[in-house]
Amino acid sequence: MKRHRGALTLAEGRYDYKTRVSLALDNDIQEKDAVVRTCLHSFEEWRATHHDYCYVFPFIAWIRGERVQAGIVDSREVWVFQVDAMRAQDIVQAVRVGMFFFNLTADDLLCDVYVKNLDVGDEQGASLQDLVNANKTLYEKTGVALREAAVALAYGGELNFWIYSHNNNPRIPQKALHEAVSNAGATSVMTDSVKTHWTRVGNNQGDPGQLCKSDLHRAIF
């Protein structure tokens, strides 16, 4: 029997800028059967600010007595809203929505977790070093939350945390990024040798962004 291969994404914004989940190192393509995409905004906030999307059918999932906002995009994608990437319980609930919706296991969905340009956003009066430090903390806490969520879901395999971020990103350069995920417990961190990745990058308010060159990093937990 063919094993299903799914993916989880964190901190999504605009639908038309959604994170690519098929890319691996050396331009290897690994198509996914099911994708759970998570967003910090509520569905109402997302619909109002991240407005370029296809038909989305919102629904409420009750996961172990908790109300979870979600939406169906197509037969292979479900979005889960109000998910804080730094909270393990939010990640657990999102994965459980995907397990129920796709009839899959945590092993199917947690093998590959993707995020694109995770960022604290602009803070008034903050220096560039302040932003680097804040983003290091953000990535470190996200890595810890992923590890804790994996334990809570009894996930026993390697967790690949895929990160799109330019090596020279002034808000979190490669060295700071790798330090952050290593501090979170990653056993291995590497950067793809391929330098031709391009991604659409917006902001936390859902504004249109530019097509930017990006590097792909993999941290293994």
Side-chain angles (χ1 to χ4, degrees), residues 25-75:
L25 298 179
D26 300 321
N27 267 347
D28 185 26
I29 302 299
Q30 300 174 351
E31 297 296 342
K32 302 302 191 293
D33 304 304
V35 183
V36 177
R37 299 186 182 274
T38 68
C39 178
L40 179 61
H41 295 83
S42 68
F43 174 73
E44 292 78 13
E45 291 170 329
W46 179 78
R47 181 173 56 183
T49 58
H50 301 76
H51 49 79
D52 288 330
Y53 54 84
C54 298
Y55 292 105
V56 179
F57 300 93
F59 66 93
I60 300 297
W62 289 92
I63 306 296
R64 301 194 176 187
E66 292 189 22
R67 182 179 182 271
V68 182
Q69 286 189 325
I72 303 167
V73 177
D74 59 36
S75 60

mmCIF file of all heavy atoms in Angstrom, residues 25-75:
data_model
loop_
_atom_site.group_PDB
_atom_site.id
_atom_site.type_symbol
_atom_site.label_atom_id
_atom_site.label_comp_id
_atom_site.label_asym_id
_atom_site.label_seq_id
_atom_site.Cartn_x
_atom_site.Cartn_y
_atom_site.Cartn_z
ATOM 1 N N LEU A 25 15.588 19.457 -1.032
ATOM 2 C CA LEU A 25 16.948 19.836 -1.382
ATOM 3 C C LEU A 25 17.299 19.406 -2.798
ATOM 4 O O LEU A 25 16.790 18.401 -3.308
ATOM 5 C CB LEU A 25 17.932 19.216 -0.388
ATOM 6 C CG LEU A 25 17.790 19.659 1.076
ATOM 7 C CD1 LEU A 25 18.827 18.947 1.941
ATOM 8 C CD2 LEU A 25 17.931 21.167 1.221
ATOM 9 N N ASP A 26 18.193 20.167 -3.422
ATOM 10 C CA ASP A 26 18.707 19.858 -4.759
ATOM 11 C C ASP A 26 17.597 19.815 -5.811
ATOM 12 O O ASP A 26 17.658 19.024 -6.756
ATOM 13 C CB ASP A 26 19.473 18.536 -4.760
ATOM 14 C CG ASP A 26 20.658 18.563 -3.810
ATOM 15 O OD1 ASP A 26 21.333 19.610 -3.741
ATOM 16 O OD2 ASP A 26 20.899 17.552 -3.123
ATOM 17 N N ASN A 27 16.588 20.664 -5.621
ATOM 18 C CA ASN A 27 15.462 20.750 -6.558
ATOM 19 C C ASN A 27 14.669 19.454 -6.659
ATOM 20 O O ASN A 27 13.962 19.218 -7.649
ATOM 21 C CB ASN A 27 15.926 21.183 -7.951
ATOM 22 C CG ASN A 27 15.844 22.701 -8.129
ATOM 23 O OD1 ASN A 27 15.229 23.389 -7.331
ATOM 24 N ND2 ASN A 27 16.460 23.205 -9.181
ATOM 25 N N ASP A 28 14.790 18.610 -5.662
ATOM 26 C CA ASP A 28 13.971 17.394 -5.629
ATOM 27 C C ASP A 28 12.510 17.797 -5.416
ATOM 28 O O ASP A 28 12.214 18.677 -4.613
ATOM 29 C CB ASP A 28 14.441 16.485 -4.491
ATOM 30 C CG ASP A 28 13.715 15.156 -4.481
ATOM 31 O OD1 ASP A 28 13.243 14.734 -5.556
ATOM 32 O OD2 ASP A 28 13.632 14.529 -3.405
ATOM 33 N N ILE A 29 11.620 17.165 -6.146
ATOM 34 C CA ILE A 29 10.194 17.456 -6.040
ATOM 35 C C ILE A 29 9.504 16.293 -5.348
ATOM 36 O O ILE A 29 9.594 15.144 -5.793
ATOM 37 C CB ILE A 29 9.562 17.702 -7.427
ATOM 38 C CG1 ILE A 29 10.278 18.860 -8.138
ATOM 39 C CG2 ILE A 29 8.075 17.998 -7.281
ATOM 40 C CD1 ILE A 29 10.198 20.184 -7.414
ATOM 41 N N GLN A 30 8.827 16.578 -4.259
ATOM 42 C CA GLN A 30 8.101 15.568 -3.487
ATOM 43 C C GLN A 30 6.647 16.023 -3.368
ATOM 44 O O GLN A 30 6.296 16.802 -2.491
ATOM 45 C CB GLN A 30 8.732 15.396 -2.100
ATOM 46 C CG GLN A 30 10.184 14.960 -2.132
ATOM 47 C CD GLN A 30 10.836 14.929 -0.757
ATOM 48 O OE1 GLN A 30 10.260 15.382 0.238
ATOM 49 N NE2 GLN A 30 12.035 14.385 -0.684
ATOM 50 N N GLU A 31 5.830 15.553 -4.276
ATOM 51 C CA GLU A 31 4.423 15.960 -4.278
ATOM 52 C C GLU A 31 3.720 15.446 -3.031
ATOM 53 O O GLU A 31 3.993 14.347 -2.551
ATOM 54 C CB GLU A 31 3.722 15.445 -5.536
ATOM 55 C CG GLU A 31 4.266 16.019 -6.842
ATOM 56 C CD GLU A 31 4.055 17.527 -6.968
ATOM 57 O OE1 GLU A 31 3.202 18.072 -6.233
ATOM 58 O OE2 GLU A 31 4.746 18.148 -7.806
ATOM 59 N N LYS A 32 2.794 16.252 -2.527
ATOM 60 C CA LYS A 32 2.077 15.903 -1.308
ATOM 61 C C LYS A 32 0.630 15.534 -1.629
ATOM 62 O O LYS A 32 -0.017 16.144 -2.477
ATOM 63 C CB LYS A 32 2.096 17.081 -0.334
ATOM 64 C CG LYS A 32 3.513 17.557 0.043
ATOM 65 C CD LYS A 32 4.353 16.467 0.665
ATOM 66 C CE LYS A 32 5.653 16.986 1.274
ATOM 67 N NZ LYS A 32 6.600 17.497 0.268
ATOM 68 N N ASP A 33 0.135 14.527 -0.920
ATOM 69 C CA ASP A 33 -1.248 14.080 -1.104
ATOM 70 C C ASP A 33 -2.234 14.956 -0.337
ATOM 71 O O ASP A 33 -3.403 15.045 -0.710
ATOM 72 C CB ASP A 33 -1.411 12.627 -0.625
ATOM 73 C CG ASP A 33 -0.456 11.673 -1.320
ATOM 74 O OD1 ASP A 33 -0.483 11.621 -2.563
ATOM 75 O OD2 ASP A 33 0.316 10.991 -0.625
ATOM 76 N N ALA A 34 -1.770 15.553 0.743
ATOM 77 C CA ALA A 34 -2.656 16.344 1.601
ATOM 78 C C ALA A 34 -1.838 17.436 2.263
ATOM 79 O O ALA A 34 -0.684 17.210 2.649
ATOM 80 C CB ALA A 34 -3.313 15.460 2.662
ATOM 81 N N VAL A 35 -2.437 18.612 2.417
ATOM 82 C CA VAL A 35 -1.734 19.752 3.013
ATOM 83 C C VAL A 35 -2.640 20.421 4.045
ATOM 84 O O VAL A 35 -3.802 20.727 3.757
ATOM 85 C CB VAL A 35 -1.313 20.783 1.948
ATOM 86 C CG1 VAL A 35 -0.524 21.920 2.607
ATOM 87 C CG2 VAL A 35 -0.495 20.136 0.845
ATOM 88 N N VAL A 36 -2.090 20.631 5.230
ATOM 89 C CA VAL A 36 -2.762 21.425 6.254
ATOM 90 C C VAL A 36 -2.011 22.751 6.349
ATOM 91 O O VAL A 36 -0.826 22.776 6.675
ATOM 92 C CB VAL A 36 -2.760 20.720 7.620
ATOM 93 C CG1 VAL A 36 -3.418 21.615 8.683
ATOM 94 C CG2 VAL A 36 -3.466 19.374 7.537
ATOM 95 N N ARG A 37 -2.694 23.843 6.023
ATOM 96 C CA ARG A 37 -2.092 25.173 6.081
ATOM 97 C C ARG A 37 -2.654 25.926 7.277
ATOM 98 O O ARG A 37 -3.868 25.923 7.494
ATOM 99 C CB ARG A 37 -2.355 25.947 4.780
ATOM 100 C CG ARG A 37 -1.763 25.263 3.548
ATOM 101 C CD ARG A 37 -1.917 26.128 2.299
ATOM 102 N NE ARG A 37 -1.394 25.447 1.124
ATOM 103 C CZ ARG A 37 -0.127 25.469 0.734
ATOM 104 N NH1 ARG A 37 0.755 26.154 1.454
ATOM 105 N NH2 ARG A 37 0.276 24.828 -0.348
ATOM 106 N N THR A 38 -1.782 26.557 8.032
ATOM 107 C CA THR A 38 -2.232 27.265 9.230
ATOM 108 C C THR A 38 -1.944 28.756 9.121
ATOM 109 O O THR A 38 -0.999 29.185 8.469
ATOM 110 C CB THR A 38 -1.553 26.708 10.492
ATOM 111 O OG1 THR A 38 -0.155 27.028 10.484
ATOM 112 C CG2 THR A 38 -1.735 25.191 10.586
ATOM 113 N N CYS A 39 -2.776 29.530 9.788
ATOM 114 C CA CYS A 39 -2.728 30.990 9.704
ATOM 115 C C CYS A 39 -3.009 31.563 11.087
ATOM 116 O O CYS A 39 -3.872 31.050 11.811
ATOM 117 C CB CYS A 39 -3.766 31.465 8.697
ATOM 118 S SG CYS A 39 -3.897 33.252 8.501
ATOM 119 N N LEU A 40 -2.279 32.612 11.458
ATOM 120 C CA LEU A 40 -2.484 33.227 12.770
ATOM 121 C C LEU A 40 -3.818 33.966 12.849
ATOM 122 O O LEU A 40 -4.449 34.015 13.902
ATOM 123 C CB LEU A 40 -1.338 34.200 13.067
ATOM 124 C CG LEU A 40 -1.389 34.952 14.393
ATOM 125 C CD1 LEU A 40 -1.359 33.981 15.575
ATOM 126 C CD2 LEU A 40 -0.225 35.939 14.496
ATOM 127 N N HIS A 41 -4.286 34.522 11.732
ATOM 128 C CA HIS A 41 -5.527 35.283 11.728
ATOM 129 C C HIS A 41 -6.740 34.372 11.914
ATOM 130 O O HIS A 41 -6.705 33.185 11.614
ATOM 131 C CB HIS A 41 -5.693 36.036 10.403
ATOM 132 C CG HIS A 41 -4.656 37.085 10.166
ATOM 133 N ND1 HIS A 41 -3.418 36.804 9.649
ATOM 134 C CD2 HIS A 41 -4.674 38.431 10.382
ATOM 135 C CE1 HIS A 41 -2.713 37.920 9.543
ATOM 136 N NE2 HIS A 41 -3.448 38.918 9.985
ATOM 137 N N SER A 42 -7.830 34.984 12.383
ATOM 138 C CA SER A 42 -9.116 34.292 12.340
ATOM 139 C C SER A 42 -9.573 34.223 10.888
ATOM 140 O O SER A 42 -9.035 34.931 10.021
ATOM 141 C CB SER A 42 -10.162 35.045 13.164
ATOM 142 O OG SER A 42 -10.480 36.286 12.541
ATOM 143 N N PHE A 43 -10.571 33.387 10.616
ATOM 144 C CA PHE A 43 -11.055 33.299 9.240
ATOM 145 C C PHE A 43 -11.584 34.650 8.768
ATOM 146 O O PHE A 43 -11.343 35.064 7.633
ATOM 147 C CB PHE A 43 -12.160 32.248 9.112
ATOM 148 C CG PHE A 43 -12.791 32.222 7.748
ATOM 149 C CD1 PHE A 43 -12.101 31.704 6.661
ATOM 150 C CD2 PHE A 43 -14.062 32.761 7.543
ATOM 151 C CE1 PHE A 43 -12.666 31.697 5.390
ATOM 152 C CE2 PHE A 43 -14.638 32.748 6.273
ATOM 153 C CZ PHE A 43 -13.937 32.222 5.209
ATOM 154 N N GLU A 44 -12.298 35.354 9.644
ATOM 155 C CA GLU A 44 -12.866 36.646 9.259
ATOM 156 C C GLU A 44 -11.773 37.658 8.937
ATOM 157 O O GLU A 44 -11.874 38.410 7.956
ATOM 158 C CB GLU A 44 -13.763 37.172 10.384
ATOM 159 C CG GLU A 44 -15.037 36.366 10.611
ATOM 160 C CD GLU A 44 -14.799 35.079 11.376
ATOM 161 O OE1 GLU A 44 -13.687 34.920 11.952
ATOM 162 O OE2 GLU A 44 -15.707 34.234 11.419
ATOM 163 N N GLU A 45 -10.710 37.697 9.752
ATOM 164 C CA GLU A 45 -9.597 38.616 9.488
ATOM 165 C C GLU A 45 -8.884 38.239 8.195
ATOM 166 O O GLU A 45 -8.536 39.106 7.391
ATOM 167 C CB GLU A 45 -8.613 38.575 10.657
ATOM 168 C CG GLU A 45 -9.146 39.167 11.948
ATOM 169 C CD GLU A 45 -8.243 38.883 13.129
ATOM 170 O OE1 GLU A 45 -7.580 37.817 13.151
ATOM 171 O OE2 GLU A 45 -8.202 39.721 14.043
ATOM 172 N N TRP A 46 -8.676 36.965 8.000
ATOM 173 C CA TRP A 46 -7.990 36.495 6.800
ATOM 174 C C TRP A 46 -8.793 36.829 5.547
ATOM 175 O O TRP A 46 -8.250 37.300 4.563
ATOM 176 C CB TRP A 46 -7.756 34.994 6.904
ATOM 177 C CG TRP A 46 -7.071 34.370 5.724
ATOM 178 C CD1 TRP A 46 -5.730 34.407 5.437
ATOM 179 C CD2 TRP A 46 -7.679 33.614 4.687
ATOM 180 N NE1 TRP A 46 -5.481 33.710 4.280
ATOM 181 C CE2 TRP A 46 -6.652 33.207 3.798
ATOM 182 C CE3 TRP A 46 -8.992 33.229 4.409
ATOM 183 C CZ2 TRP A 46 -6.903 32.452 2.660
ATOM 184 C CZ3 TRP A 46 -9.244 32.465 3.276
ATOM 185 C CH2 TRP A 46 -8.204 32.089 2.421
ATOM 186 N N ARG A 47 -10.086 36.609 5.599
ATOM 187 C CA ARG A 47 -10.936 36.894 4.448
ATOM 188 C C ARG A 47 -10.931 38.386 4.128
ATOM 189 O O ARG A 47 -10.962 38.786 2.953
ATOM 190 C CB ARG A 47 -12.364 36.412 4.714
ATOM 191 C CG ARG A 47 -13.320 36.649 3.547
ATOM 192 C CD ARG A 47 -14.657 35.995 3.809
ATOM 193 N NE ARG A 47 -15.259 36.447 5.050
ATOM 194 C CZ ARG A 47 -16.409 35.988 5.533
ATOM 195 N NH1 ARG A 47 -17.058 35.044 4.872
ATOM 196 N NH2 ARG A 47 -16.897 36.450 6.665
ATOM 197 N N ALA A 48 -10.854 39.231 5.136
ATOM 198 C CA ALA A 48 -10.903 40.679 4.924
ATOM 199 C C ALA A 48 -9.583 41.248 4.426
ATOM 200 O O ALA A 48 -9.568 42.233 3.679
ATOM 201 C CB ALA A 48 -11.297 41.378 6.232
ATOM 202 N N THR A 49 -8.454 40.646 4.818
ATOM 203 C CA THR A 49 -7.157 41.237 4.492
ATOM 204 C C THR A 49 -6.359 40.446 3.472
ATOM 205 O O THR A 49 -5.552 41.012 2.744
ATOM 206 C CB THR A 49 -6.296 41.396 5.763
ATOM 207 O OG1 THR A 49 -6.126 40.103 6.368
ATOM 208 C CG2 THR A 49 -6.947 42.343 6.746
ATOM 209 N N HIS A 50 -6.531 39.138 3.425
ATOM 210 C CA HIS A 50 -5.793 38.293 2.496
ATOM 211 C C HIS A 50 -6.799 37.813 1.445
ATOM 212 O O HIS A 50 -7.198 36.660 1.411
ATOM 213 C CB HIS A 50 -5.154 37.109 3.225
ATOM 214 C CG HIS A 50 -4.212 37.525 4.308
ATOM 215 N ND1 HIS A 50 -4.639 38.002 5.532
ATOM 216 C CD2 HIS A 50 -2.864 37.568 4.351
ATOM 217 C CE1 HIS A 50 -3.582 38.298 6.272
ATOM 218 N NE2 HIS A 50 -2.497 38.050 5.574
ATOM 219 N N HIS A 51 -7.197 38.759 0.590
ATOM 220 C CA HIS A 51 -8.433 38.605 -0.164
ATOM 221 C C HIS A 51 -8.310 37.850 -1.483
ATOM 222 O O HIS A 51 -9.322 37.540 -2.101
ATOM 223 C CB HIS A 51 -9.028 39.983 -0.445
ATOM 224 C CG HIS A 51 -8.015 40.940 -1.006
ATOM 225 N ND1 HIS A 51 -7.633 40.936 -2.316
ATOM 226 C CD2 HIS A 51 -7.284 41.907 -0.388
ATOM 227 C CE1 HIS A 51 -6.699 41.883 -2.503
ATOM 228 N NE2 HIS A 51 -6.481 42.482 -1.358
ATOM 229 N N ASP A 52 -7.113 37.576 -1.967
ATOM 230 C CA ASP A 52 -6.973 36.897 -3.253
ATOM 231 C C ASP A 52 -6.953 35.394 -3.036
ATOM 232 O O ASP A 52 -5.901 34.791 -2.840
ATOM 233 C CB ASP A 52 -5.689 37.340 -3.956
ATOM 234 C CG ASP A 52 -5.797 38.763 -4.464
ATOM 235 O OD1 ASP A 52 -6.920 39.179 -4.792
ATOM 236 O OD2 ASP A 52 -4.771 39.455 -4.520
ATOM 237 N N TYR A 53 -8.087 34.799 -3.026
ATOM 238 C CA TYR A 53 -8.160 33.359 -2.829
ATOM 239 C C TYR A 53 -9.281 32.780 -3.680
ATOM 240 O O TYR A 53 -10.138 33.484 -4.180
ATOM 241 C CB TYR A 53 -8.351 32.994 -1.363
ATOM 242 C CG TYR A 53 -9.539 33.654 -0.687
ATOM 243 C CD1 TYR A 53 -10.808 33.110 -0.788
ATOM 244 C CD2 TYR A 53 -9.381 34.823 0.047
ATOM 245 C CE1 TYR A 53 -11.892 33.709 -0.168
ATOM 246 C CE2 TYR A 53 -10.462 35.428 0.670
ATOM 247 C CZ TYR A 53 -11.714 34.857 0.553
ATOM 248 O OH TYR A 53 -12.765 35.451 1.173
ATOM 249 N N CYS A 54 -9.250 31.466 -3.809
ATOM 250 C CA CYS A 54 -10.298 30.776 -4.555
ATOM 251 C C CYS A 54 -11.488 30.556 -3.627
ATOM 252 O O CYS A 54 -11.596 31.179 -2.578
ATOM 253 C CB CYS A 54 -9.756 29.451 -5.088
ATOM 254 S SG CYS A 54 -8.387 29.649 -6.238
ATOM 255 N N TYR A 55 -12.377 29.679 -4.025
ATOM 256 C CA TYR A 55 -13.541 29.403 -3.194
ATOM 257 C C TYR A 55 -13.105 28.660 -1.940
ATOM 258 O O TYR A 55 -12.481 27.607 -2.001
ATOM 259 C CB TYR A 55 -14.560 28.582 -3.967
ATOM 260 C CG TYR A 55 -15.186 29.351 -5.107
ATOM 261 C CD1 TYR A 55 -14.807 29.101 -6.419
ATOM 262 C CD2 TYR A 55 -16.124 30.352 -4.869
ATOM 263 C CE1 TYR A 55 -15.362 29.812 -7.473
ATOM 264 C CE2 TYR A 55 -16.685 31.074 -5.910
ATOM 265 C CZ TYR A 55 -16.299 30.799 -7.212
ATOM 266 O OH TYR A 55 -16.837 31.513 -8.247
ATOM 267 N N VAL A 56 -13.446 29.211 -0.792
ATOM 268 C CA VAL A 56 -13.121 28.594 0.488
ATOM 269 C C VAL A 56 -14.416 28.333 1.230
ATOM 270 O O VAL A 56 -15.273 29.225 1.335
ATOM 271 C CB VAL A 56 -12.202 29.496 1.331
ATOM 272 C CG1 VAL A 56 -11.909 28.846 2.671
ATOM 273 C CG2 VAL A 56 -10.902 29.768 0.587
ATOM 274 N N PHE A 57 -14.568 27.135 1.742
ATOM 275 C CA PHE A 57 -15.775 26.756 2.480
ATOM 276 C C PHE A 57 -15.402 26.627 3.959
ATOM 277 O O PHE A 57 -14.816 25.627 4.377
ATOM 278 C CB PHE A 57 -16.342 25.449 1.945
ATOM 279 C CG PHE A 57 -16.729 25.530 0.490
ATOM 280 C CD1 PHE A 57 -15.826 25.159 -0.503
ATOM 281 C CD2 PHE A 57 -17.975 25.986 0.105
ATOM 282 C CE1 PHE A 57 -16.166 25.233 -1.840
ATOM 283 C CE2 PHE A 57 -18.327 26.071 -1.236
ATOM 284 C CZ PHE A 57 -17.416 25.696 -2.209
ATOM 285 N N PRO A 58 -15.711 27.662 4.763
ATOM 286 C CA PRO A 58 -15.326 27.609 6.179
ATOM 287 C C PRO A 58 -16.171 26.601 6.950
ATOM 288 O O PRO A 58 -17.325 26.330 6.613
ATOM 289 C CB PRO A 58 -15.604 29.038 6.648
ATOM 290 C CG PRO A 58 -16.676 29.537 5.741
ATOM 291 C CD PRO A 58 -16.435 28.891 4.402
ATOM 292 N N PHE A 59 -15.573 26.039 7.981
ATOM 293 C CA PHE A 59 -16.324 25.153 8.869
ATOM 294 C C PHE A 59 -15.698 25.215 10.265
ATOM 295 O O PHE A 59 -14.575 25.684 10.442
ATOM 296 C CB PHE A 59 -16.354 23.710 8.346
ATOM 297 C CG PHE A 59 -15.020 23.003 8.320
ATOM 298 C CD1 PHE A 59 -14.598 22.220 9.384
ATOM 299 C CD2 PHE A 59 -14.177 23.115 7.217
ATOM 300 C CE1 PHE A 59 -13.378 21.561 9.363
ATOM 301 C CE2 PHE A 59 -12.963 22.457 7.173
ATOM 302 C CZ PHE A 59 -12.550 21.679 8.250
ATOM 303 N N ILE A 60 -16.443 24.763 11.231
ATOM 304 C CA ILE A 60 -15.965 24.701 12.608
ATOM 305 C C ILE A 60 -15.743 23.236 12.963
ATOM 306 O O ILE A 60 -16.633 22.400 12.799
ATOM 307 C CB ILE A 60 -16.976 25.319 13.593
ATOM 308 C CG1 ILE A 60 -17.215 26.801 13.254
ATOM 309 C CG2 ILE A 60 -16.484 25.161 15.029
ATOM 310 C CD1 ILE A 60 -15.994 27.663 13.385
ATOM 311 N N ALA A 61 -14.532 22.936 13.407
ATOM 312 C CA ALA A 61 -14.220 21.581 13.872
ATOM 313 C C ALA A 61 -14.177 21.596 15.394
ATOM 314 O O ALA A 61 -13.648 22.533 15.995
ATOM 315 C CB ALA A 61 -12.878 21.127 13.306
ATOM 316 N N TRP A 62 -14.740 20.571 15.971
ATOM 317 C CA TRP A 62 -14.665 20.426 17.427
ATOM 318 C C TRP A 62 -13.665 19.326 17.722
ATOM 319 O O TRP A 62 -13.913 18.156 17.453
ATOM 320 C CB TRP A 62 -16.035 20.109 18.018
ATOM 321 C CG TRP A 62 -16.963 21.287 17.952
ATOM 322 C CD1 TRP A 62 -17.844 21.585 16.967
ATOM 323 C CD2 TRP A 62 -17.063 22.337 18.912
ATOM 324 N NE1 TRP A 62 -18.493 22.769 17.235
ATOM 325 C CE2 TRP A 62 -18.042 23.249 18.427
ATOM 326 C CE3 TRP A 62 -16.433 22.608 20.128
ATOM 327 C CZ2 TRP A 62 -18.379 24.406 19.129
ATOM 328 C CZ3 TRP A 62 -16.783 23.758 20.816
ATOM 329 C CH2 TRP A 62 -17.751 24.642 20.328
ATOM 330 N N ILE A 63 -12.500 19.725 18.220
ATOM 331 C CA ILE A 63 -11.418 18.787 18.484
ATOM 332 C C ILE A 63 -11.240 18.657 19.990
ATOM 333 O O ILE A 63 -10.785 19.575 20.667
ATOM 334 C CB ILE A 63 -10.095 19.258 17.840
ATOM 335 C CG1 ILE A 63 -10.288 19.526 16.343
ATOM 336 C CG2 ILE A 63 -8.993 18.234 18.079
ATOM 337 C CD1 ILE A 63 -10.648 18.307 15.525
ATOM 338 N N ARG A 64 -11.701 17.523 20.498
ATOM 339 C CA ARG A 64 -11.592 17.240 21.930
ATOM 340 C C ARG A 64 -12.172 18.379 22.770
ATOM 341 O O ARG A 64 -11.572 18.854 23.735
ATOM 342 C CB ARG A 64 -10.154 16.941 22.320
ATOM 343 C CG ARG A 64 -9.592 15.739 21.566
ATOM 344 C CD ARG A 64 -8.315 15.222 22.150
ATOM 345 N NE ARG A 64 -7.883 14.015 21.447
ATOM 346 C CZ ARG A 64 -6.863 13.250 21.801
ATOM 347 N NH1 ARG A 64 -6.151 13.585 22.863
ATOM 348 N NH2 ARG A 64 -6.530 12.179 21.112
ATOM 349 N N GLY A 65 -13.337 18.843 22.345
ATOM 350 C CA GLY A 65 -14.052 19.864 23.093
ATOM 351 C C GLY A 65 -13.661 21.291 22.785
ATOM 352 O O GLY A 65 -14.241 22.214 23.352
ATOM 353 N N GLU A 66 -12.682 21.485 21.908
ATOM 354 C CA GLU A 66 -12.252 22.834 21.553
ATOM 355 C C GLU A 66 -12.739 23.194 20.159
ATOM 356 O O GLU A 66 -12.716 22.379 19.241
ATOM 357 C CB GLU A 66 -10.723 22.954 21.615
ATOM 358 C CG GLU A 66 -10.162 22.859 23.016
ATOM 359 C CD GLU A 66 -8.679 23.201 23.061
ATOM 360 O OE1 GLU A 66 -8.199 23.887 22.142
ATOM 361 O OE2 GLU A 66 -8.004 22.767 24.015
ATOM 362 N N ARG A 67 -13.157 24.446 20.002
ATOM 363 C CA ARG A 67 -13.655 24.965 18.728
ATOM 364 C C ARG A 67 -12.490 25.431 17.875
ATOM 365 O O ARG A 67 -11.688 26.259 18.306
ATOM 366 C CB ARG A 67 -14.625 26.124 19.005
ATOM 367 C CG ARG A 67 -15.280 26.760 17.807
ATOM 368 C CD ARG A 67 -16.204 27.863 18.295
ATOM 369 N NE ARG A 67 -16.922 28.519 17.202
ATOM 370 C CZ ARG A 67 -16.459 29.561 16.532
ATOM 371 N NH1 ARG A 67 -15.272 30.065 16.849
ATOM 372 N NH2 ARG A 67 -17.163 30.106 15.565
ATOM 373 N N VAL A 68 -12.385 24.907 16.661
ATOM 374 C CA VAL A 68 -11.272 25.235 15.769
ATOM 375 C C VAL A 68 -11.838 25.732 14.442
ATOM 376 O O VAL A 68 -12.660 25.055 13.813
ATOM 377 C CB VAL A 68 -10.359 24.011 15.523
ATOM 378 C CG1 VAL A 68 -9.190 24.395 14.626
ATOM 379 C CG2 VAL A 68 -9.860 23.439 16.847
ATOM 380 N N GLN A 69 -11.404 26.932 14.008
ATOM 381 C CA GLN A 69 -11.829 27.476 12.719
ATOM 382 C C GLN A 69 -11.005 26.868 11.592
ATOM 383 O O GLN A 69 -9.780 26.833 11.670
ATOM 384 C CB GLN A 69 -11.651 28.990 12.690
ATOM 385 C CG GLN A 69 -12.636 29.788 13.487
ATOM 386 C CD GLN A 69 -12.484 31.276 13.200
ATOM 387 O OE1 GLN A 69 -11.392 31.773 12.977
ATOM 388 N NE2 GLN A 69 -13.601 31.992 13.198
ATOM 389 N N ALA A 70 -11.682 26.419 10.545
ATOM 390 C CA ALA A 70 -10.975 25.830 9.410
ATOM 391 C C ALA A 70 -11.730 26.141 8.126
ATOM 392 O O ALA A 70 -12.840 26.678 8.144
ATOM 393 C CB ALA A 70 -10.826 24.323 9.597
ATOM 394 N N GLY A 71 -11.106 25.836 7.007
ATOM 395 C CA GLY A 71 -11.729 26.074 5.718
ATOM 396 C C GLY A 71 -11.205 25.098 4.682
ATOM 397 O O GLY A 71 -10.021 24.740 4.691
ATOM 398 N N ILE A 72 -12.079 24.667 3.794
ATOM 399 C CA ILE A 72 -11.711 23.745 2.721
ATOM 400 C C ILE A 72 -11.412 24.551 1.468
ATOM 401 O O ILE A 72 -12.228 25.367 1.039
ATOM 402 C CB ILE A 72 -12.849 22.745 2.436
ATOM 403 C CG1 ILE A 72 -13.214 21.969 3.705
ATOM 404 C CG2 ILE A 72 -12.468 21.798 1.303
ATOM 405 C CD1 ILE A 72 -14.520 21.213 3.586
ATOM 406 N N VAL A 73 -10.241 24.315 0.880
ATOM 407 C CA VAL A 73 -9.876 24.981 -0.365
ATOM 408 C C VAL A 73 -10.094 24.052 -1.543
ATOM 409 O O VAL A 73 -10.719 24.399 -2.531
ATOM 410 C CB VAL A 73 -8.412 25.474 -0.323
ATOM 411 C CG1 VAL A 73 -8.013 26.107 -1.648
ATOM 412 C CG2 VAL A 73 -8.233 26.473 0.808
ATOM 413 N N ASP A 74 -9.562 22.854 -1.450
ATOM 414 C CA ASP A 74 -9.837 21.830 -2.453
ATOM 415 C C ASP A 74 -9.702 20.481 -1.768
ATOM 416 O O ASP A 74 -9.561 20.409 -0.544
ATOM 417 C CB ASP A 74 -8.916 21.958 -3.678
ATOM 418 C CG ASP A 74 -7.439 21.855 -3.326
ATOM 419 O OD1 ASP A 74 -7.085 21.068 -2.426
ATOM 420 O OD2 ASP A 74 -6.627 22.546 -3.961
ATOM 421 N N SER A 75 -9.738 19.419 -2.542
ATOM 422 C CA SER A 75 -9.756 18.081 -1.943
ATOM 423 C C SER A 75 -8.440 17.724 -1.261
ATOM 424 O O SER A 75 -8.379 16.772 -0.492
ATOM 425 C CB SER A 75 -10.068 17.036 -3.018
ATOM 426 O OG SER A 75 -9.085 17.061 -4.040
#
